[in-house]
Amino acid sequence: MGEISERAFCLVLYPNMSRGFDFTHAIVRTPGRSVVNGLRDDPSRTPTYDGVMREHTSYVAALRDAGLNVDVLPALEDYPDSVFVEDPAFVLPEGAILLRPGAPSRTAEREHMRRALAKYFGSALELGEGEFVDGGDVLVTPKTVFIGLSRRTNRAGAEALAEKLKTLGRGAAIVETPSGVLHLKSASSLMDEETILATPAMERSGAFSAFRTIVTAEGEDDAANALRINDTLFLGSRYPRTQEKLEKQGFSVHSLAIDEVAKLDAGLSCMSLRW
Ligand code: CIR
């Protein structure tokens, strides 16, 4: 069976089964000038507003080139981290779930996201009081949605999200995020249906033992927040040796500058919500 007919066959049998990187839409948010005050582990690393804007503009253009219809929301000056739209919500073609970001300064972002998502999804499911999940801790793969426990995502939140996912027809697995990183997806991303790019610590954790893993090159752990969209694999341009590894495995890599957003502990996945 050819690749296309096999996929069509699977979609008829398992309508919720997707490859995990087939998207038509994305939501992004323009960075505010306040982005320079965004949360970060190392306060001495402050990005410039112009630098973040430049990287964001290239990112939006790249998403459009990858085939997405991109909805650009206006900046929210009161919320420095609101450019990282991946964290307050989680979306699938089947529906949207409003999450509850684990950082108090980001709590209100979810109400703004509720309004933005209503246009596409009507009402969204939502996590309750005390159920904290950042979207950066949620990794979609064809059969399982992985939810990482982290400084931002607690067990109550992960379990509540797993329940909501069940109502959307998706199975979930709750895993530990390696210490020292912000989110599960700071340490892992989906390259294709069966391959995960992972940091050495993530690989050692065994969370993705059912997958083929490609481990980031030495000293390039942050490369693990890559982003596959349709046929394009995006990787931060600061990681030439990981790029070489991926290319040796047959991936064609499109590199994007993320030097400024990296100062805010962010990478490629955090600047969009995709479905
Ligand atoms: C934060 O600490 O919340 C932001 N400075 C970075 C968020 C990155 N989000 C993501 O990777 N999904």
Side-chain angles (χ1 to χ4, degrees):
M1 213 184 287
E3 197 184 309
I4 292 176
S5 56
E6 188 176 334
R7 176 159 161 65
F9 175 76
C10 284
L11 286 171
V12 171
L13 273 187
Y14 312 104
N16 285 337
M17 191 176 152
S18 72
R19 294 190 299 168
F21 48 83
D22 295 312
F23 304 117
T24 52
H25 288 77
I27 287 178
V28 302
R29 187 180 292 287
T30 305
R33 289 200 165 269
S34 61
V35 72
V36 299
N37 301 319
L39 295 171
R40 54 203 185 271
D41 271 352
D42 179 355
S44 71
R45 280 163 40 98
T46 300
T48 64
Y49 166 70
D50 288 344
V52 174
M53 265 309 271
R54 193 173 52 245
E55 291 176 3
H56 193 262
T57 303
S58 304
Y59 179 80
V60 172
L63 296 193
R64 289 192 167 126
D65 285 347
L68 301 193
N69 190 329
V70 184
D71 188 351
V72 184
L73 305 176
L76 293 173
E77 288 298 347
D78 288 346
Y79 305 104
D81 286 297
S82 56
V83 60
F84 304 121
V85 287
E86 179 177 65
D87 294 316
F90 175 72
V91 291
L92 290 169
E94 305 89 292
I97 304 174
L98 288 167
L99 304 175
R100 206 169 272 275
S105 66
R106 303 200 59 187
T107 307
E109 291 177 32
R110 129 187 174 127
E111 289 314 310
H112 291 274
M113 199 46 80
R114 184 195 299 279
R115 290 196 277 279
L117 291 173
K119 176 171 154 195
Y120 300 98
F121 296 94
S123 64
L125 299 170
E126 55 189 290
L127 298 189
E129 288 290 330
E131 297 169 346
F132 294 107
V133 176
D134 271 12
D137 282 316
V138 188
L139 176 66
V140 179
T141 72
K143 291 192 189 134
T144 308
V145 178
F146 287 87
I147 308 169
L149 299 172
S150 71
R151 282 180 277 161
R152 300 282 178 88
T153 295
N154 64 6
R155 187 163 286 279
E159 286 174 356
L161 178 59
E163 279 303 308
K164 307 279 179 222
L165 287 167
K166 213 189 278 175
T167 70
L168 295 177
R170 298 282 182 135
I174 299 173
V175 299
E176 292 289 339
T177 297
S179 62
V181 294
L182 181 59
H183 290 132
L184 180 69
K185 282 189 292 193
S186 314
S188 58
S189 44
L190 185 70
M191 300 287 95
D192 65 23
E193 294 98 311
E194 57 198 25
T195 312
I196 299 279
L197 175 66
T199 61
M202 190 80 243
E203 140 93 354
R204 279 195 303 275
S205 78
F208 298 115
S209 55
F211 291 80
R212 180 170 80 104
T213 46
I214 297 174
V215 177
T216 52
E218 202 186 332
E220 294 187 353
D221 279 19
D222 293 347
N225 184 264
L227 182 60
R228 173 81 190 260
I229 294 185
N230 302 328
D231 293 330
T232 310
L233 175 56
F234 295 107
L235 185 76
S237 56
R238 307 147 51 90
Y239 315 114
R241 284 173 303 121
T242 303
Q243 176 164 346
E244 200 181 312
K245 272 188 148 188
L246 288 164
E247 286 170 346
K248 276 198 183 131
Q249 298 286 329
F251 291 99
S252 144
V253 174
H254 181 116
S255 67
L256 277 176
I258 46 158
D259 301 75
E260 292 302 297
V261 297
K263 292 175 184 166
L264 297 170
D265 308 333
L268 292 170
S269 74
C270 10
M271 291 190 284
S272 59
L273 267 181
R274 307 154 294 273
W275 72 96

